[in-house]
Amino acid sequence: GENVEQHPSTLSVQEGDSAVIKCTYSDSASNYFPWYKQELGKGPQLIIDIRSNVGEKKDQRIAVTLNKTAKHFSLHITETQPEDSAVYFCAAMIKAAGNKLTFGGGTRVLVKP
Amino acid sequence: DAGITQSPRYKITETGRQVTLMCHQTWSHSYMFWYRQDLGHGLRLIYYSAAADITDKGEVPDGYVVSRSKTENFPLTLESATRSQTSVYFCATAGTGTETQYFGPGTRLLVL
């Protein structure tokens, strides 16, 4: 089955700096890649996603890039703010196979003021 | 509109007891999912359902049972709880034709 690896497991950045989280996936049939943000005591919330026919997507301060050949995708957060502190999860899905997500292990991001 | 609700939010039980975690959604989404979240493992899929009366196993189904007699409810039962089932359990939903999954607030389960 699909396997998703996520790095780093923890990331500490100074407010205003950029943060980058990287994920690799194993199944070349995966075609949907969402990123979720989880705040303490809450459920994960979708922040951005990308489909396999797109190489990059941006939404304000966050962007995701996808390299299908290398089977990796990354989340970029620019101008980080204290409210960006959370755990971030990447995931991969084969849309024709039951809409099941396989998640990476998560990255705990701490933005220091 | 509550969206997705999970109950109870916190549960302490003993080894060997049966426990049922409830998930209720108000969106009439076709798909419903149960995940468990453990440190170092991210979220792992336990069971999912594509529609009422249709369920299938995920990555870690052993020790769990699900049913879905109504579209809006997807209960997860631990028939004989074990300490290894101590975890945070999340329910999620997704509409037909969309990939986006929406997560509930979670249930923290401690098995003593």
Side-chain angles (χ1 to χ4, degrees):
Chain A
E2 175 68 283
N3 183 52
V4 178
E5 299 284 341
Q6 182 171 346
H7 299 282
S9 57
T10 60
L11 180 60
S12 182
V13 297
Q14 207 66 37
E15 182 178 358
D17 288 349
S18 295
V20 180
I21 304 170
K22 298 182 178 182
C23 289
T24 60
Y25 61 99
S26 61
D27 196 330
S28 57
S30 290
N31 48 16
Y32 173 68
F33 307 91
W35 285 89
Y36 284 83
K37 176 182 180 181
Q38 185 178 28
E39 297 177 341
L40 197 61
K42 297 184 178 180
Q45 184 173 17
L46 179 73
I47 56 171
I48 195 167
D49 57 14
I50 192 167
R51 292 164 180 80
S52 58
N53 58 347
V54 176
E56 184 176 1
K57 183 177 179 180
K58 291 183 179 180
D59 183 2
Q60 299 182 9
R61 294 186 299 107
I62 60 174
V64 57
T65 58
L66 171 66
N67 183 326
K68 287 190 297 182
T69 302
K71 289 190 285 188
H72 68 70
F73 56 113
S74 301
L75 178 72
H76 304 253
I77 307 173
T78 59
E79 300 173 20
T80 54
Q81 300 168 6
E83 53 265 37
D84 294 329
S85 295
V87 179
Y88 293 80
F89 291 97
C90 64
M93 175 195 287
I94 302 171
K95 288 191 285 184
N99 277 24
K100 295 179 289 183
L101 285 171
T102 301
F103 283 85
T107 298
R108 183 173 299 277
V109 174
L110 175 63
V111 180
K112 295 179 288 185
Chain B
D1 185 352
I4 306 175
T5 55
Q6 292 185 236
S7 60
R9 294 293 314 279
Y10 304 91
K11 177 73 176 179
I12 300 174
T13 191
E14 295 178 338
T15 301
R17 291 190 179 262
Q18 183 179 83
V19 177
T20 295
L21 309 184
M22 300 301 297
C23 179
H24 175 78
Q25 56 129 338
T26 60
W27 293 321
S28 298
H29 282 173
S30 297
Y31 287 91
M32 296 188 76
F33 307 84
W34 274 108
Y35 294 90
R36 59 178 290 173
Q37 183 174 33
D38 305 291
L39 199 62
H41 289 281
L43 293 108
R44 292 181 291 175
L45 182 65
I46 305 171
Y47 269 96
Y48 69 104
S49 169
D53 297 322
I54 301 175
T55 62
D56 207 348
K57 296 178 180 179
E59 181 186 353
V60 289
D62 293 344
Y64 302 95
V65 174
V66 294
S67 62
R68 194 165 174 210
S69 57
K70 294 183 178 181
T71 299
E72 61 266 30
N73 296 324
F74 192 36
L76 176 73
T77 297
L78 290 66
E79 292 191 305
S80 179
T82 65
R83 290 193 182 89
S84 65
Q85 292 177 310
T86 291
S87 188
V88 182
Y89 291 85
F90 287 99
C91 177
T93 72
T96 303
T98 67
E99 307 97 342
T100 303
Q101 292 189 16
Y102 299 91
F103 283 78
T107 294
R108 288 184 176 273
L109 176 67
L110 174 61
V111 182
L112 299 175

